[in-house]
mmCIF file of all heavy atoms in Angstrom:
data_model
loop_
_atom_site.group_PDB
_atom_site.id
_atom_site.type_symbol
_atom_site.label_atom_id
_atom_site.label_comp_id
_atom_site.label_asym_id
_atom_site.label_seq_id
_atom_site.Cartn_x
_atom_site.Cartn_y
_atom_site.Cartn_z
ATOM 1 N N MET A 1 -27.636 -22.390 -57.680
ATOM 2 C CA MET A 1 -29.039 -22.000 -57.629
ATOM 3 C C MET A 1 -29.198 -20.627 -58.239
ATOM 4 O O MET A 1 -28.240 -19.877 -58.355
ATOM 5 C CB MET A 1 -29.544 -22.011 -56.177
ATOM 6 C CG MET A 1 -29.005 -20.865 -55.334
ATOM 7 S SD MET A 1 -29.442 -21.031 -53.593
ATOM 8 C CE MET A 1 -31.231 -20.964 -53.689
ATOM 9 N N ASN A 2 -30.395 -20.320 -58.653
ATOM 10 C CA ASN A 2 -30.651 -19.023 -59.250
ATOM 11 C C ASN A 2 -31.394 -18.116 -58.277
ATOM 12 O O ASN A 2 -32.296 -18.552 -57.576
ATOM 13 C CB ASN A 2 -31.486 -19.175 -60.518
ATOM 14 C CG ASN A 2 -30.690 -19.815 -61.632
ATOM 15 O OD1 ASN A 2 -29.472 -19.725 -61.665
ATOM 16 N ND2 ASN A 2 -31.377 -20.452 -62.544
ATOM 17 N N GLN A 3 -30.976 -16.878 -58.265
ATOM 18 C CA GLN A 3 -31.659 -15.889 -57.452
ATOM 19 C C GLN A 3 -32.007 -14.699 -58.331
ATOM 20 O O GLN A 3 -31.473 -14.542 -59.421
ATOM 21 C CB GLN A 3 -30.752 -15.423 -56.307
ATOM 22 C CG GLN A 3 -30.647 -16.432 -55.170
ATOM 23 C CD GLN A 3 -31.964 -16.571 -54.412
ATOM 24 O OE1 GLN A 3 -32.544 -15.598 -53.979
ATOM 25 N NE2 GLN A 3 -32.432 -17.802 -54.277
ATOM 26 N N THR A 4 -32.868 -13.863 -57.814
ATOM 27 C CA THR A 4 -33.272 -12.686 -58.572
ATOM 28 C C THR A 4 -32.448 -11.483 -58.134
ATOM 29 O O THR A 4 -32.290 -11.227 -56.946
ATOM 30 C CB THR A 4 -34.769 -12.402 -58.343
ATOM 31 O OG1 THR A 4 -35.509 -13.547 -58.767
ATOM 32 C CG2 THR A 4 -35.213 -11.197 -59.148
ATOM 33 N N CYS A 5 -31.939 -10.780 -59.106
ATOM 34 C CA CYS A 5 -31.148 -9.586 -58.818
ATOM 35 C C CYS A 5 -32.046 -8.488 -58.254
ATOM 36 O O CYS A 5 -33.068 -8.159 -58.861
ATOM 37 C CB CYS A 5 -30.491 -9.114 -60.113
ATOM 38 S SG CYS A 5 -29.627 -7.555 -59.958
ATOM 39 N N PRO A 6 -31.673 -7.911 -57.103
ATOM 40 C CA PRO A 6 -32.494 -6.837 -56.534
ATOM 41 C C PRO A 6 -32.386 -5.534 -57.323
ATOM 42 O O PRO A 6 -33.197 -4.632 -57.150
ATOM 43 C CB PRO A 6 -31.918 -6.671 -55.116
ATOM 44 C CG PRO A 6 -30.520 -7.174 -55.210
ATOM 45 C CD PRO A 6 -30.538 -8.267 -56.243
ATOM 46 N N GLU A 7 -31.409 -5.452 -58.205
ATOM 47 C CA GLU A 7 -31.226 -4.230 -58.977
ATOM 48 C C GLU A 7 -32.052 -4.245 -60.261
ATOM 49 O O GLU A 7 -32.684 -3.259 -60.605
ATOM 50 C CB GLU A 7 -29.749 -4.070 -59.337
ATOM 51 C CG GLU A 7 -28.826 -3.936 -58.141
ATOM 52 C CD GLU A 7 -28.805 -2.517 -57.600
ATOM 53 O OE1 GLU A 7 -28.376 -1.620 -58.323
ATOM 54 O OE2 GLU A 7 -29.223 -2.331 -56.455
ATOM 55 N N CYS A 8 -32.020 -5.344 -60.958
ATOM 56 C CA CYS A 8 -32.663 -5.366 -62.277
ATOM 57 C C CYS A 8 -33.644 -6.515 -62.439
ATOM 58 O O CYS A 8 -34.254 -6.658 -63.480
ATOM 59 C CB CYS A 8 -31.597 -5.444 -63.373
ATOM 60 S SG CYS A 8 -30.802 -7.064 -63.519
ATOM 61 N N GLU A 9 -33.770 -7.349 -61.400
ATOM 62 C CA GLU A 9 -34.668 -8.494 -61.436
ATOM 63 C C GLU A 9 -34.248 -9.526 -62.468
ATOM 64 O O GLU A 9 -35.048 -10.358 -62.895
ATOM 65 C CB GLU A 9 -36.128 -8.052 -61.628
ATOM 66 C CG GLU A 9 -36.525 -7.059 -60.570
ATOM 67 C CD GLU A 9 -38.032 -6.935 -60.411
ATOM 68 O OE1 GLU A 9 -38.766 -7.331 -61.301
ATOM 69 O OE2 GLU A 9 -38.451 -6.449 -59.349
ATOM 70 N N GLY A 10 -32.996 -9.450 -62.851
ATOM 71 C CA GLY A 10 -32.450 -10.486 -63.733
ATOM 72 C C GLY A 10 -32.078 -11.704 -62.911
ATOM 73 O O GLY A 10 -32.221 -11.721 -61.683
ATOM 74 N N THR A 11 -31.565 -12.706 -63.586
ATOM 75 C CA THR A 11 -31.199 -13.941 -62.907
ATOM 76 C C THR A 11 -29.737 -13.902 -62.483
ATOM 77 O O THR A 11 -28.868 -13.539 -63.258
ATOM 78 C CB THR A 11 -31.424 -15.142 -63.840
ATOM 79 O OG1 THR A 11 -32.801 -15.169 -64.198
ATOM 80 C CG2 THR A 11 -31.058 -16.440 -63.153
ATOM 81 N N VAL A 12 -29.507 -14.255 -61.238
ATOM 82 C CA VAL A 12 -28.139 -14.312 -60.705
ATOM 83 C C VAL A 12 -27.861 -15.758 -60.327
ATOM 84 O O VAL A 12 -28.627 -16.376 -59.600
ATOM 85 C CB VAL A 12 -27.984 -13.428 -59.457
ATOM 86 C CG1 VAL A 12 -26.537 -13.451 -58.955
ATOM 87 C CG2 VAL A 12 -28.428 -12.004 -59.755
ATOM 88 N N GLN A 13 -26.777 -16.282 -60.827
ATOM 89 C CA GLN A 13 -26.413 -17.649 -60.492
ATOM 90 C C GLN A 13 -25.505 -17.658 -59.281
ATOM 91 O O GLN A 13 -24.508 -16.939 -59.219
ATOM 92 C CB GLN A 13 -25.686 -18.294 -61.670
ATOM 93 C CG GLN A 13 -26.637 -18.724 -62.760
ATOM 94 C CD GLN A 13 -26.166 -20.018 -63.410
ATOM 95 O OE1 GLN A 13 -24.980 -20.276 -63.491
ATOM 96 N NE2 GLN A 13 -27.092 -20.827 -63.857
ATOM 97 N N LEU A 14 -25.858 -18.501 -58.317
ATOM 98 C CA LEU A 14 -25.046 -18.648 -57.117
ATOM 99 C C LEU A 14 -24.490 -20.062 -57.065
ATOM 100 O O LEU A 14 -25.220 -21.035 -57.279
ATOM 101 C CB LEU A 14 -25.894 -18.400 -55.867
ATOM 102 C CG LEU A 14 -26.381 -16.974 -55.644
ATOM 103 C CD1 LEU A 14 -27.322 -16.940 -54.453
ATOM 104 C CD2 LEU A 14 -25.218 -16.035 -55.403
ATOM 105 N N ALA A 15 -23.200 -20.145 -56.770
ATOM 106 C CA ALA A 15 -22.599 -21.465 -56.602
ATOM 107 C C ALA A 15 -23.064 -22.045 -55.279
ATOM 108 O O ALA A 15 -23.168 -21.344 -54.281
ATOM 109 C CB ALA A 15 -21.080 -21.340 -56.631
ATOM 110 N N GLU A 16 -23.310 -23.326 -55.285
ATOM 111 C CA GLU A 16 -23.733 -23.985 -54.052
ATOM 112 C C GLU A 16 -22.566 -24.751 -53.460
ATOM 113 O O GLU A 16 -21.733 -25.263 -54.191
ATOM 114 C CB GLU A 16 -24.903 -24.924 -54.349
ATOM 115 C CG GLU A 16 -26.117 -24.136 -54.813
ATOM 116 C CD GLU A 16 -27.369 -25.003 -54.879
ATOM 117 O OE1 GLU A 16 -27.816 -25.472 -53.830
ATOM 118 O OE2 GLU A 16 -27.855 -25.198 -55.991
ATOM 119 N N PRO A 17 -22.448 -24.856 -52.141
ATOM 120 C CA PRO A 17 -23.392 -24.296 -51.185
ATOM 121 C C PRO A 17 -23.260 -22.784 -51.083
ATOM 122 O O PRO A 17 -22.149 -22.249 -51.139
ATOM 123 C CB PRO A 17 -22.995 -24.973 -49.860
ATOM 124 C CG PRO A 17 -21.529 -25.247 -50.023
ATOM 125 C CD PRO A 17 -21.335 -25.556 -51.491
ATOM 126 N N VAL A 18 -24.367 -22.119 -50.956
ATOM 127 C CA VAL A 18 -24.360 -20.669 -50.822
ATOM 128 C C VAL A 18 -23.893 -20.318 -49.412
ATOM 129 O O VAL A 18 -24.318 -20.919 -48.439
ATOM 130 C CB VAL A 18 -25.771 -20.103 -51.058
ATOM 131 C CG1 VAL A 18 -25.771 -18.591 -50.904
ATOM 132 C CG2 VAL A 18 -26.262 -20.488 -52.445
ATOM 133 N N ARG A 19 -22.985 -19.371 -49.338
ATOM 134 C CA ARG A 19 -22.459 -18.957 -48.040
ATOM 135 C C ARG A 19 -22.814 -17.506 -47.769
ATOM 136 O O ARG A 19 -22.828 -16.685 -48.683
ATOM 137 C CB ARG A 19 -20.935 -19.136 -48.002
ATOM 138 C CG ARG A 19 -20.519 -20.595 -47.969
ATOM 139 C CD ARG A 19 -19.035 -20.722 -48.056
ATOM 140 N NE ARG A 19 -18.528 -20.085 -49.289
ATOM 141 C CZ ARG A 19 -17.256 -19.962 -49.576
ATOM 142 N NH1 ARG A 19 -16.344 -20.403 -48.744
ATOM 143 N NH2 ARG A 19 -16.878 -19.383 -50.689
ATOM 144 N N LEU A 20 -23.014 -17.223 -46.497
ATOM 145 C CA LEU A 20 -23.312 -15.863 -46.086
ATOM 146 C C LEU A 20 -22.138 -14.957 -46.458
ATOM 147 O O LEU A 20 -20.972 -15.354 -46.338
ATOM 148 C CB LEU A 20 -23.545 -15.840 -44.569
ATOM 149 C CG LEU A 20 -24.408 -14.705 -44.026
ATOM 150 C CD1 LEU A 20 -25.795 -14.719 -44.665
ATOM 151 C CD2 LEU A 20 -24.529 -14.854 -42.520
ATOM 152 N N SER A 21 -22.453 -13.777 -46.921
ATOM 153 C CA SER A 21 -21.459 -12.769 -47.318
ATOM 154 C C SER A 21 -20.763 -13.097 -48.627
ATOM 155 O O SER A 21 -19.845 -12.386 -49.023
ATOM 156 C CB SER A 21 -20.403 -12.534 -46.229
ATOM 157 O OG SER A 21 -21.029 -12.057 -45.061
ATOM 158 N N GLU A 22 -21.181 -14.147 -49.275
ATOM 159 C CA GLU A 22 -20.614 -14.446 -50.573
ATOM 160 C C GLU A 22 -21.019 -13.352 -51.562
ATOM 161 O O GLU A 22 -22.113 -12.808 -51.476
ATOM 162 C CB GLU A 22 -21.147 -15.797 -51.046
ATOM 163 C CG GLU A 22 -20.439 -16.323 -52.265
ATOM 164 C CD GLU A 22 -20.653 -17.825 -52.392
ATOM 165 O OE1 GLU A 22 -20.075 -18.564 -51.580
ATOM 166 O OE2 GLU A 22 -21.419 -18.229 -53.259
ATOM 167 N N ILE A 23 -20.124 -13.070 -52.480
ATOM 168 C CA ILE A 23 -20.400 -12.052 -53.484
ATOM 169 C C ILE A 23 -20.706 -12.724 -54.814
ATOM 170 O O ILE A 23 -19.958 -13.583 -55.266
ATOM 171 C CB ILE A 23 -19.199 -11.098 -53.660
ATOM 172 C CG1 ILE A 23 -18.825 -10.433 -52.328
ATOM 173 C CG2 ILE A 23 -19.498 -10.057 -54.722
ATOM 174 C CD1 ILE A 23 -19.857 -9.484 -51.784
ATOM 175 N N ALA A 24 -21.788 -12.310 -55.402
ATOM 176 C CA ALA A 24 -22.138 -12.809 -56.729
ATOM 177 C C ALA A 24 -22.290 -11.606 -57.641
ATOM 178 O O ALA A 24 -22.540 -10.489 -57.185
ATOM 179 C CB ALA A 24 -23.442 -13.592 -56.669
ATOM 180 N N GLN A 25 -22.119 -11.838 -58.922
ATOM 181 C CA GLN A 25 -22.289 -10.733 -59.857
ATOM 182 C C GLN A 25 -23.437 -11.044 -60.801
ATOM 183 O O GLN A 25 -23.529 -12.133 -61.356
ATOM 184 C CB GLN A 25 -20.998 -10.509 -60.648
ATOM 185 C CG GLN A 25 -21.076 -9.239 -61.489
ATOM 186 C CD GLN A 25 -19.723 -8.847 -62.045
ATOM 187 O OE1 GLN A 25 -18.947 -9.682 -62.446
ATOM 188 N NE2 GLN A 25 -19.444 -7.557 -62.071
ATOM 189 N N CYS A 26 -24.285 -10.068 -60.946
ATOM 190 C CA CYS A 26 -25.413 -10.225 -61.840
ATOM 191 C C CYS A 26 -24.906 -10.233 -63.278
ATOM 192 O O CYS A 26 -24.122 -9.370 -63.669
ATOM 193 C CB CYS A 26 -26.396 -9.069 -61.640
ATOM 194 S SG CYS A 26 -27.774 -9.116 -62.801
ATOM 195 N N SER A 27 -25.364 -11.213 -64.035
ATOM 196 C CA SER A 27 -24.909 -11.305 -65.425
ATOM 197 C C SER A 27 -25.616 -10.308 -66.317
ATOM 198 O O SER A 27 -25.221 -10.082 -67.444
ATOM 199 C CB SER A 27 -25.130 -12.726 -65.946
ATOM 200 O OG SER A 27 -26.495 -13.063 -65.853
ATOM 201 N N GLU A 28 -26.673 -9.709 -65.825
ATOM 202 C CA GLU A 28 -27.442 -8.787 -66.655
ATOM 203 C C GLU A 28 -27.047 -7.333 -66.457
ATOM 204 O O GLU A 28 -26.914 -6.581 -67.399
ATOM 205 C CB GLU A 28 -28.932 -8.983 -66.374
ATOM 206 C CG GLU A 28 -29.298 -10.449 -66.547
ATOM 207 C CD GLU A 28 -30.695 -10.647 -67.099
ATOM 208 O OE1 GLU A 28 -31.328 -9.682 -67.530
ATOM 209 O OE2 GLU A 28 -31.139 -11.805 -67.086
ATOM 210 N N CYS A 29 -26.857 -6.914 -65.190
ATOM 211 C CA CYS A 29 -26.512 -5.508 -64.947
ATOM 212 C C CYS A 29 -25.130 -5.364 -64.326
ATOM 213 O O CYS A 29 -24.707 -4.252 -64.028
ATOM 214 C CB CYS A 29 -27.571 -4.837 -64.068
ATOM 215 S SG CYS A 29 -27.568 -5.382 -62.348
ATOM 216 N N SER A 30 -24.440 -6.477 -64.102
ATOM 217 C CA SER A 30 -23.078 -6.479 -63.557
ATOM 218 C C SER A 30 -22.984 -5.964 -62.137
ATOM 219 O O SER A 30 -21.898 -5.673 -61.659
ATOM 220 C CB SER A 30 -22.121 -5.688 -64.461
ATOM 221 O OG SER A 30 -22.041 -6.316 -65.727
ATOM 222 N N ALA A 31 -24.108 -5.828 -61.455
ATOM 223 C CA ALA A 31 -24.076 -5.396 -60.063
ATOM 224 C C ALA A 31 -23.436 -6.479 -59.208
ATOM 225 O O ALA A 31 -23.597 -7.668 -59.462
ATOM 226 C CB ALA A 31 -25.491 -5.132 -59.570
ATOM 227 N N GLU A 32 -22.672 -6.030 -58.217
ATOM 228 C CA GLU A 32 -22.111 -6.981 -57.269
ATOM 229 C C GLU A 32 -23.089 -7.130 -56.120
ATOM 230 O O GLU A 32 -23.513 -6.146 -55.515
ATOM 231 C CB GLU A 32 -20.748 -6.498 -56.778
ATOM 232 C CG GLU A 32 -19.724 -6.555 -57.888
ATOM 233 C CD GLU A 32 -18.318 -6.319 -57.399
ATOM 234 O OE1 GLU A 32 -18.147 -5.799 -56.289
ATOM 235 O OE2 GLU A 32 -17.388 -6.665 -58.143
ATOM 236 N N LEU A 33 -23.420 -8.372 -55.833
ATOM 237 C CA LEU A 33 -24.459 -8.658 -54.854
ATOM 238 C C LEU A 33 -23.923 -9.538 -53.752
ATOM 239 O O LEU A 33 -23.192 -10.494 -53.999
ATOM 240 C CB LEU A 33 -25.626 -9.359 -55.558
ATOM 241 C CG LEU A 33 -26.177 -8.573 -56.753
ATOM 242 C CD1 LEU A 33 -27.102 -9.447 -57.568
ATOM 243 C CD2 LEU A 33 -26.895 -7.327 -56.282
ATOM 244 N N GLU A 34 -24.296 -9.198 -52.539
ATOM 245 C CA GLU A 34 -23.842 -9.957 -51.387
ATOM 246 C C GLU A 34 -24.989 -10.805 -50.851
ATOM 247 O O GLU A 34 -26.124 -10.339 -50.765
ATOM 248 C CB GLU A 34 -23.369 -8.986 -50.297
ATOM 249 C CG GLU A 34 -22.857 -9.701 -49.061
ATOM 250 C CD GLU A 34 -22.318 -8.726 -48.031
ATOM 251 O OE1 GLU A 34 -22.432 -7.507 -48.230
ATOM 252 O OE2 GLU A 34 -21.778 -9.204 -47.026
ATOM 253 N N VAL A 35 -24.651 -12.025 -50.459
ATOM 254 C CA VAL A 35 -25.643 -12.885 -49.821
ATOM 255 C C VAL A 35 -25.803 -12.395 -48.383
ATOM 256 O O VAL A 35 -24.872 -12.430 -47.590
ATOM 257 C CB VAL A 35 -25.187 -14.356 -49.834
ATOM 258 C CG1 VAL A 35 -26.201 -15.238 -49.115
ATOM 259 C CG2 VAL A 35 -24.977 -14.850 -51.270
ATOM 260 N N VAL A 36 -26.990 -11.898 -48.070
ATOM 261 C CA VAL A 36 -27.220 -11.324 -46.747
ATOM 262 C C VAL A 36 -28.100 -12.204 -45.871
ATOM 263 O O VAL A 36 -28.274 -11.934 -44.689
ATOM 264 C CB VAL A 36 -27.830 -9.907 -46.847
ATOM 265 C CG1 VAL A 36 -26.822 -8.948 -47.457
ATOM 266 C CG2 VAL A 36 -29.127 -9.916 -47.633
ATOM 267 N N ASN A 37 -28.659 -13.230 -46.460
ATOM 268 C CA ASN A 37 -29.519 -14.128 -45.687
ATOM 269 C C ASN A 37 -29.507 -15.483 -46.373
ATOM 270 O O ASN A 37 -29.383 -15.572 -47.594
ATOM 271 C CB ASN A 37 -30.936 -13.565 -45.617
ATOM 272 C CG ASN A 37 -31.702 -14.136 -44.440
ATOM 273 O OD1 ASN A 37 -31.223 -15.032 -43.737
ATOM 274 N ND2 ASN A 37 -32.896 -13.632 -44.225
ATOM 275 N N LEU A 38 -29.605 -16.525 -45.586
ATOM 276 C CA LEU A 38 -29.552 -17.865 -46.176
ATOM 277 C C LEU A 38 -30.890 -18.598 -46.136
ATOM 278 O O LEU A 38 -31.072 -19.573 -46.836
ATOM 279 C CB LEU A 38 -28.501 -18.711 -45.440
ATOM 280 C CG LEU A 38 -27.044 -18.320 -45.695
ATOM 281 C CD1 LEU A 38 -26.129 -19.213 -44.874
ATOM 282 C CD2 LEU A 38 -26.697 -18.428 -47.166
ATOM 283 N N ASP A 39 -31.777 -18.176 -45.298
ATOM 284 C CA ASP A 39 -33.042 -18.916 -45.160
ATOM 285 C C ASP A 39 -34.197 -17.955 -45.023
ATOM 286 O O ASP A 39 -34.596 -17.625 -43.903
ATOM 287 C CB ASP A 39 -32.949 -19.863 -43.966
ATOM 288 C CG ASP A 39 -34.171 -20.774 -43.903
ATOM 289 O OD1 ASP A 39 -34.818 -20.976 -44.945
ATOM 290 O OD2 ASP A 39 -34.468 -21.272 -42.809
ATOM 291 N N PRO A 40 -34.742 -17.483 -46.119
ATOM 292 C CA PRO A 40 -34.383 -17.858 -47.486
ATOM 293 C C PRO A 40 -33.183 -17.059 -47.969
ATOM 294 O O PRO A 40 -32.840 -16.024 -47.380
ATOM 295 C CB PRO A 40 -35.634 -17.473 -48.288
ATOM 296 C CG PRO A 40 -36.175 -16.288 -47.531
ATOM 297 C CD PRO A 40 -35.868 -16.570 -46.074
ATOM 298 N N VAL A 41 -32.563 -17.527 -49.026
ATOM 299 C CA VAL A 41 -31.426 -16.805 -49.587
ATOM 300 C C VAL A 41 -31.901 -15.470 -50.138
ATOM 301 O O VAL A 41 -32.890 -15.399 -50.850
ATOM 302 C CB VAL A 41 -30.778 -17.628 -50.727
ATOM 303 C CG1 VAL A 41 -29.688 -16.818 -51.418
ATOM 304 C CG2 VAL A 41 -30.199 -18.925 -50.166
ATOM 305 N N SER A 42 -31.214 -14.415 -49.734
ATOM 306 C CA SER A 42 -31.547 -13.120 -50.304
ATOM 307 C C SER A 42 -30.274 -12.349 -50.589
ATOM 308 O O SER A 42 -29.243 -12.541 -49.943
ATOM 309 C CB SER A 42 -32.481 -12.335 -49.390
ATOM 310 O OG SER A 42 -31.880 -12.118 -48.151
ATOM 311 N N LEU A 43 -30.360 -11.494 -51.568
ATOM 312 C CA LEU A 43 -29.212 -10.726 -52.032
ATOM 313 C C LEU A 43 -29.437 -9.246 -51.824
ATOM 314 O O LEU A 43 -30.553 -8.762 -51.882
ATOM 315 C CB LEU A 43 -29.000 -10.981 -53.529
ATOM 316 C CG LEU A 43 -28.710 -12.422 -53.943
ATOM 317 C CD1 LEU A 43 -28.760 -12.531 -55.464
ATOM 318 C CD2 LEU A 43 -27.358 -12.849 -53.440
ATOM 319 N N ALA A 44 -28.333 -8.541 -51.573
ATOM 320 C CA ALA A 44 -28.388 -7.095 -51.476
ATOM 321 C C ALA A 44 -27.166 -6.552 -52.204
ATOM 322 O O ALA A 44 -26.145 -7.232 -52.297
ATOM 323 C CB ALA A 44 -28.375 -6.655 -50.020
ATOM 324 N N PRO A 45 -27.256 -5.347 -52.711
ATOM 325 C CA PRO A 45 -26.094 -4.762 -53.383
ATOM 326 C C PRO A 45 -24.897 -4.752 -52.438
ATOM 327 O O PRO A 45 -25.011 -4.367 -51.280
ATOM 328 C CB PRO A 45 -26.560 -3.332 -53.715
ATOM 329 C CG PRO A 45 -28.059 -3.450 -53.793
ATOM 330 C CD PRO A 45 -28.434 -4.484 -52.760
ATOM 331 N N ALA A 46 -23.766 -5.214 -52.919
ATOM 332 C CA ALA A 46 -22.575 -5.309 -52.083
ATOM 333 C C ALA A 46 -21.997 -3.925 -51.828
ATOM 334 O O ALA A 46 -22.050 -3.052 -52.694
ATOM 335 C CB ALA A 46 -21.536 -6.190 -52.767
ATOM 336 N N PRO A 47 -21.437 -3.716 -50.648
ATOM 337 C CA PRO A 47 -20.758 -2.450 -50.380
ATOM 338 C C PRO A 47 -19.543 -2.330 -51.291
ATOM 339 O O PRO A 47 -18.960 -3.334 -51.686
ATOM 340 C CB PRO A 47 -20.353 -2.564 -48.910
ATOM 341 C CG PRO A 47 -20.325 -4.029 -48.618
ATOM 342 C CD PRO A 47 -21.368 -4.634 -49.518
ATOM 343 N N GLU A 48 -19.176 -1.113 -51.605
ATOM 344 C CA GLU A 48 -18.088 -0.926 -52.563
ATOM 345 C C GLU A 48 -16.726 -0.990 -51.908
ATOM 346 O O GLU A 48 -15.870 -0.149 -52.102
ATOM 347 C CB GLU A 48 -18.271 0.420 -53.280
ATOM 348 C CG GLU A 48 -19.516 0.422 -54.154
ATOM 349 C CD GLU A 48 -19.620 1.691 -54.978
ATOM 350 O OE1 GLU A 48 -18.590 2.304 -55.249
ATOM 351 O OE2 GLU A 48 -20.749 2.058 -55.321
ATOM 352 N N ILE A 49 -16.553 -1.986 -51.108
ATOM 353 C CA ILE A 49 -15.265 -2.206 -50.460
ATOM 354 C C ILE A 49 -14.562 -3.340 -51.181
ATOM 355 O O ILE A 49 -15.143 -4.392 -51.400
ATOM 356 C CB ILE A 49 -15.457 -2.586 -48.966
ATOM 357 C CG1 ILE A 49 -16.181 -1.453 -48.244
ATOM 358 C CG2 ILE A 49 -14.111 -2.886 -48.318
ATOM 359 C CD1 ILE A 49 -16.621 -1.823 -46.839
ATOM 360 N N GLU A 50 -13.318 -3.089 -51.532
ATOM 361 C CA GLU A 50 -12.578 -4.137 -52.200
ATOM 362 C C GLU A 50 -12.250 -5.235 -51.205
ATOM 363 O O GLU A 50 -11.602 -5.003 -50.195
ATOM 364 C CB GLU A 50 -11.283 -3.580 -52.798
ATOM 365 C CG GLU A 50 -11.517 -2.785 -54.067
ATOM 366 C CD GLU A 50 -11.870 -3.685 -55.252
ATOM 367 O OE1 GLU A 50 -11.240 -4.735 -55.414
ATOM 368 O OE2 GLU A 50 -12.804 -3.328 -55.998
ATOM 369 N N GLU A 51 -12.703 -6.421 -51.513
ATOM 370 C CA GLU A 51 -12.413 -7.539 -50.627
ATOM 371 C C GLU A 51 -11.715 -8.620 -51.403
ATOM 372 O O GLU A 51 -11.873 -8.725 -52.614
ATOM 373 C CB GLU A 51 -13.706 -8.114 -50.049
ATOM 374 C CG GLU A 51 -14.225 -7.332 -48.888
ATOM 375 C CD GLU A 51 -15.376 -8.092 -48.245
ATOM 376 O OE1 GLU A 51 -15.115 -8.954 -47.407
ATOM 377 O OE2 GLU A 51 -16.538 -7.828 -48.605
ATOM 378 N N ASP A 52 -10.983 -9.415 -50.700
ATOM 379 C CA ASP A 52 -10.291 -10.508 -51.353
ATOM 380 C C ASP A 52 -11.215 -11.701 -51.429
ATOM 381 O O ASP A 52 -11.193 -12.577 -50.591
ATOM 382 C CB ASP A 52 -9.025 -10.851 -50.567
ATOM 383 C CG ASP A 52 -8.239 -11.970 -51.258
ATOM 384 O OD1 ASP A 52 -8.460 -12.178 -52.459
ATOM 385 O OD2 ASP A 52 -7.427 -12.615 -50.574
ATOM 386 N N TRP A 53 -12.045 -11.686 -52.446
ATOM 387 C CA TRP A 53 -12.984 -12.784 -52.579
ATOM 388 C C TRP A 53 -12.732 -13.612 -53.821
ATOM 389 O O TRP A 53 -13.560 -14.380 -54.267
ATOM 390 C CB TRP A 53 -14.416 -12.274 -52.538
ATOM 391 C CG TRP A 53 -14.703 -11.088 -53.425
ATOM 392 C CD1 TRP A 53 -14.583 -9.779 -53.096
ATOM 393 C CD2 TRP A 53 -15.159 -11.103 -54.780
ATOM 394 N NE1 TRP A 53 -14.930 -8.982 -54.155
ATOM 395 C CE2 TRP A 53 -15.279 -9.772 -55.191
ATOM 396 C CE3 TRP A 53 -15.463 -12.118 -55.675
ATOM 397 C CZ2 TRP A 53 -15.691 -9.424 -56.484
ATOM 398 C CZ3 TRP A 53 -15.882 -11.769 -56.953
ATOM 399 C CH2 TRP A 53 -15.984 -10.442 -57.356
ATOM 400 N N GLY A 54 -11.546 -13.463 -54.373
ATOM 401 C CA GLY A 54 -11.224 -14.263 -55.547
ATOM 402 C C GLY A 54 -11.053 -15.723 -55.180
ATOM 403 O O GLY A 54 -10.726 -16.040 -54.039
ATOM 404 N N GLU A 55 -11.255 -16.570 -56.148
ATOM 405 C CA GLU A 55 -11.115 -17.998 -55.857
ATOM 406 C C GLU A 55 -10.171 -18.610 -56.857
ATOM 407 O O GLU A 55 -10.250 -18.330 -58.029
ATOM 408 C CB GLU A 55 -12.465 -18.701 -55.956
ATOM 409 C CG GLU A 55 -13.467 -18.093 -55.025
ATOM 410 C CD GLU A 55 -14.393 -19.169 -54.435
ATOM 411 O OE1 GLU A 55 -14.444 -20.274 -54.989
ATOM 412 O OE2 GLU A 55 -15.020 -18.874 -53.420
HETATM 413 ZN ZN1 ZN B 1 -28.929 -7.211 -62.128
#
């Protein structure tokens, strides 16, 4: 699904199913965004903590 980047209002693609605390990266400004709410889905800039979120 597509969401709007809170930093630049660009389009951010999220893999479904969207999970809470998932990290997505904005393709336009490269900001790392965390899923902070699921209903409705909303994004916030991710904290700058290195997490093991690789897949
Ligand atoms: Zn952005």
